Amino acid sequence: MNTPLDLAEFLAPGVSADEVPELAALTAARPLVDAFITLFRGTEAEVLMRLLVLREIGRDTDAPRWSPEALRARFTYLDPVKLETVLKRLRDNALLSFAADGHYHLSDIGRNAVAALAMLLRFSEEEEDVELGFLTAQLAGLQAVGGLTQEALGHLLGKLNELTWHFEEAIASGSEFHIVAARRRLSANEKWLARGTEILRKLLADPEVPFEVAQVAQRIGLAQSRLARADASFQRALNKIEAQRVTLGASGISSSDVSAWLRTLDAAALAAFADDAFALVPEIPLLAGGHELLDRAEAVLSEDVRAQEIDAALPPADATEIGAAPETEDLALLQHFAARLGQLSQPARLAEVVVGGGFAPAAYRLSLLALLADGDLIDASAGPAEGPVGEFMRLPLDVLFGDTLETVDADEIALISSGRVAPRGSAPAADNRSPAPLPQEIR
């Protein structure tokens, strides 16, 4: 039974409820609103008991009418007095009907409330958002009966915009865990996004759809397009995080693994890590007498001391040394190697010519031999005409590099390319020679 509404204390002075058109739809649905008020008013335990009794009464579809004795037998785990209180509350507020034969059954409003609650409970058992699945299912039902409204579409549009904002916030946070959770949430709702697209396709294909409804449907399509591109944005953000991930030595454990482990700890365990990590420094009082303070005051107030402190003059310039020779490159190793090669009278193995003094000198000699190997392929005018390098490149020697490796195992060298160095004319033709190797061929 509806009671008079007293809305004056909620409205601004001089405004009546009849002047607010937004209240018209709610006041017209007073019976349905009263039904939900009955279900959800009171303590949490009272609400759960009302929902329990109402759902169990509506669950038996073969025998929708219940006698008081059958209800007491069905709810033997409830206190009989509390059960009677719940039944009376539901009956007085038109959620239960009491027939002339003395049997209980659900009213139309009560069955609608139970059906809406069952749908919400069904969606809450899955991973996807309850709101998105529920709203999409509502739109599908309204479309099937031809009752799709602008308000129903607006609820779906608001939910899609909320998801878009949530995903953008996750990407902007730069947190791998937030991004992964948002991506999982998007994947869990992909089927509802696909079904929403089917509803919109059918809706926009109808030539008789109202303009206001079609306008909201187009905005929903744009929102779904933004969500479809969110997965690529998630992947780009994760790629950036992957490039910055640090692996702890050769353990295979990354900074993300450490962060994930720290998230499993409680506040007390995290605070324990700070034990002995900070040292308390006691505050030492100022220990200074009058004489010390007076000495400091005289130094500060003295004009000579202040003049020295503010003197910013540059020091006098130093005279530049005359005749200082510029630094030159040390080519002693090259000259010594050129002298050795100049005394070569018969072919010699590459290892005999290169090895000596360790890995670095041997690699240097091998790189120099590459100049001799390519000497006939390079224009003579392109190289240095004078100096040790030019003299080295003009040595009458041929260098042949092979395709295999020789074992050395001495002087910091394990393997070296096979080959030989011979006075010009005794080695094979230049066009049969292999390209000059790099020093890395010494191993």
Side-chain angles (χ1 to χ4, degrees), residues 162-175 178-179 182 234:
E162 180 186 351
L163 284 176
T164 302
W165 175 85
H166 174 74
F167 295 156
E168 291 175 351
E169 286 288 313
I171 295 174
S173 68
S175 170
H178 291 170
I179 295 174
F234 289 147

Side-chain angles (χ1 to χ4, degrees), residues 8-16 19:
E9 59 179 314
F10 295 95
L11 300 175
V15 179
S16 62
E19 297 175 353

Side-chain angles (χ1 to χ4, degrees), residues 294-365:
L294 182 59
D295 293 340
R296 179 58 183 166
E298 289 179 349
V300 172
L301 296 177
S302 174
E303 292 295 336
D304 296 337
V305 175
R306 293 173 61 184
Q308 293 176 3
E309 291 179 352
I310 63 175
D311 185 11
L314 295 176
D318 292 337
T320 305
E321 295 183 6
I322 300 176
E327 296 183 0
T328 59
E329 185 179 1
D330 186 8
L331 300 177
L333 184 59
L334 181 145
Q335 294 173 345
H336 183 269
F337 187 46
R340 283 180 51 195
L341 294 179
Q343 300 174 1
L344 193 66
S345 59
Q346 58 182 359
R349 291 190 305 111
L350 190 66
E352 298 175 355
V353 176
V354 170
V355 175
F359 178 83
Y364 179 65
R365 297 188 191 101

